[in-house]
Amino acid sequence: MLTFILRRILTAIPTLLLISLVIFFLVDLAPGSPASEIPLTVPAEVRAKILESMGVNDPVYVRYGLWLKQFVWVEPLNLFDHFFGTTFAEGQQRIISYQTRSPVFDMIVQRIPQTMTVIGTAYLIGIMIALPIGIYSAYRQYSWFDQAGTFFAMVGFSVPTFFTGVLLIVIFSVKLGWFPSIYDTTLKVEDWESFLKQARQMALPVTVLALFNAASISRYMRSSVLDNLGQDYVRTARAKGMSERTVLLGHVLRNSLIPVVTVIALGIPSIFGGAIITEQVFKVNGLGAALIGAIHANDLPMVQTLTFIFATLIVTFNLIADILYGILDPRIRYV
Amino acid sequence: MPDGAQPVLDVKGLKTVFRTRGGEIHAVNSVSFDLRPGELLGVVGESGSGKSVTMMSLMGLLPSPPADVRAGEVIFEGHDLLKCSDEHLRSVRGAGIGFIFQDPMTSLNPVFTVGFQIMEPLRKHMGMDKAQARKRAQELLELVGIPDAGQRLKDFPHQFSGGMRQRVMIAIALACDPKVLIADEPTTALDVTIQAQIIELVRELRTKLGMAIVWITHDLGVIAGIADRVMVMYGGQIVEQGPVKTVLGNPQHPYTRALLTTVPSVRGARTAKLNTIEGQPPILKAAPVACAFHDRCPQAFDRCARENPARIPVGGGHDVACFWDPATNGARNG
Ligand SMILES: Nc1ncnc2c1ncn2[C@@H]1O[C@H](COP(=O)(O)OP(=O)(O)OP(=O)(O)O)[C@@H](O)[C@H]1O
Ligand SMILES: [Mg+2]
């Protein structure tokens, strides 16, 4: 098992390198110059100096090498310093945003909590409603519950989140005034009242994302449970006199979760993508909003870094899915 | 078997219908039989003759829909299993009546250890705690001849061969000392030497534990070897029933006679090719109004197409559902 994980991590490294290369060069090809962010009133030679100091005149492979080194070495050291108060990374140049002239990772560290609270909660809630719905829909296939589930799932993943988001805003904040339509990132949860406020401002974005995620996961769960209900071992369990509860929640559930857990793990990185839109709609100042802002501002280091972080997440969760698969299914052997 | 003994299982007028998109399929049509204590009842018939559906209907193991058990009575220990509460039915399943299925490769849950799967009914029906159940599970594995039983309890089904898995299934079915064991083609999926071992095992267990067994098979040779009584099924009905020696020695129904000629003989002279019964078994879209076998039957006459024959006793606990009498090669009286 351990060797399997190590080997998988080792094989992931070349993959990630290749991805980083592609991302860096593709983004680098984008038109526009960091100079456009410098006010026109700045004299030409000063402008040249600034550009020089930003390193934009170096050949692209030099910049790639530097960026990669910063990404895998300098920035993790900085994070370490940040958490433990050490000074390992002192004096090393960090990845600097064209936009703010401050380290890209400072911004990311700032933005992560917003994204995690909204998206993390949404995904968890999505899973928690999707699994029971999937199980019950399969158990009572073609019942009205199942039909309703099918209908909502279809609506759920065919209607884009920017539409449901705006719709919910129109109904619940504009018409009814129950929830705020804009997410206040500066809100700090200190007491019961601010907690309620936080919960209220999270309600709409979380609902939108949770419904979207629940729609597809509940479908996967349903088909997986249906698949397993027809298996011979279910008949054996019934022939042993097991209650329907044990049959469904013991025997069938455990088997049905095997493929669904993979889907859930693999879905985690992609919800960041979906969140980009939701964050825009609800003005959540998270990573997605940071990426969009950086693209608008031609902030290449920010775009490259964020995109590569998403890519790393995808590769990581792939690995996690594989490991979970093996834990749930005893037939899988790590060789 | 003394004729007067109270049957452990008494089935009367069982009817099972499948509701499918193409209409109804009458898979079991007024099947009645009983099973006496300690007896081994063989059930034979072609594929599709309704053997499995009959046995699963008894215990409510068919998925509904599409299956619908329309009529009948299944008396076990004074209760009608078709009408009793779900709770009572579950207490009979696995405890009073054990079931072994055809395909050992898929009949065990792949994600639970074999030990867990044997212990489940023990804990549920016998109220054992974990330690007691484990001890008993180990005894059961030893009983069905799995070496190193204590260790193997921790193994998963995929770590066992087909024959070993079927032994595990037998251990599960026997876990709570059932009065009745229903074995639905327990050896069909196994190769010949393993088949022989399993049959030998069941024969042994039967003398040791004394339960009554229903043994479904295609193999008349096996029936001849182990059964006390045999029941021949065709088109969802019992067409002939009686003690093994009489039925195989003096078959009354043309279908039974045909089945017997299809058994290749190892010792006797080789026939040029294997005998087969011409035609296909019927798929009944409605309750039968004629003999289900008449269009394949060499002896059929006009009455067979008009009327479905009832089972007529021919003496010695032997009965047959046929208008033709092999003794006279003409119509049977009555
Ligand atoms: N789920 C189902 N839906 C519709 N018809 C079914 C279903 N299951 C069984 N049948 C029908 O019931 C009839 C009897 O099937 P059954 O499985 O009892 O045969 P069998 O005698 O056990 O055959 P085999 O020897 O192949 O196991 C068949 O004609 C089959 O078409
Ligand atoms: Mg069958």
Side-chain angles (χ1 to χ4, degrees), chain A residues 88-133:
Chain A
F88 290 123
E90 198 139 340
Q92 309 243 41
Q93 201 198 333
R94 305 182 57 185
I95 305 175
I96 300 294
S97 155
Y98 287 170
Q99 247 180 129
T100 60
R101 307 280 146 72
S102 61
V104 164
F105 268 82
D106 285 358
M107 171 118 153
I108 293 174
V109 168
Q110 231 175 50
R111 298 288 183 99
I112 277 181
Q114 271 78 269
T115 299
M116 289 309 283
T117 38
V118 175
I119 296 183
T121 320
Y123 207 52
L124 275 182
I125 293 182
I127 293 168
M128 281 185 319
I129 53 183
L131 297 188
I133 290 179

Side-chain angles (χ1 to χ4, degrees), chain B residues 279-300:
Chain B
Q280 291 289 318
I283 290 176
L284 298 164
K285 299 261 181 195
V289 287
C291 172
F293 189 58
H294 80 270
D295 48 359
R296 291 169 81 188
C297 180
Q299 262 75 38

Side-chain angles (χ1 to χ4, degrees), chain B residues 6-12 33-38 58-59 73-84 88-98 176-182 211-214:
Chain B
Q6 186 83 321
V8 276
L9 187 68
D10 196 358
V11 179
K12 290 190 196 110
F33 66 94
D34 59 6
L35 185 67
R36 287 156 224 162
L58 302 185
M59 304 237 293
E73 253 179 26
V74 177
I75 308 294
F76 178 77
E77 294 182 327
H79 290 272
D80 182 350
L81 298 186
L82 297 183
K83 293 183 191 72
C84 69
H88 181 78
L89 184 60
R90 278 198 294 273
S91 73
V92 170
R93 289 179 187 164
I97 303 179
C176 305
D177 284 323
K179 294 228 164 47
V180 175
L181 177 69
I182 299 177
M211 69 274 182
I213 299 178
V214 177

Side-chain angles (χ1 to χ4, degrees), chain B residues 51-52 102 184-185 216:
Chain B
K51 307 181 296 291
S52 304
Q102 176 166 345
D184 187 355
E185 303 188 35
I216 302 177

Side-chain angles (χ1 to χ4, degrees), chain B residues 18-20 25-28 45-54 56 62-63 66-67 102 184-185 216-218 233 236 282-284:
Chain B
F18 287 99
R19 294 207 191 105
T20 64
I25 293 174
H26 292 246
V28 178
E46 271 169 297
S47 207
S49 54
K51 307 181 296 291
S52 304
V53 174
T54 303
M56 301 227 227
L62 290 170
Q102 176 166 345
D184 187 355
E185 303 188 35
I216 302 177
T217 179
H218 291 156
M233 288 194 70
I283 290 176
L284 298 164

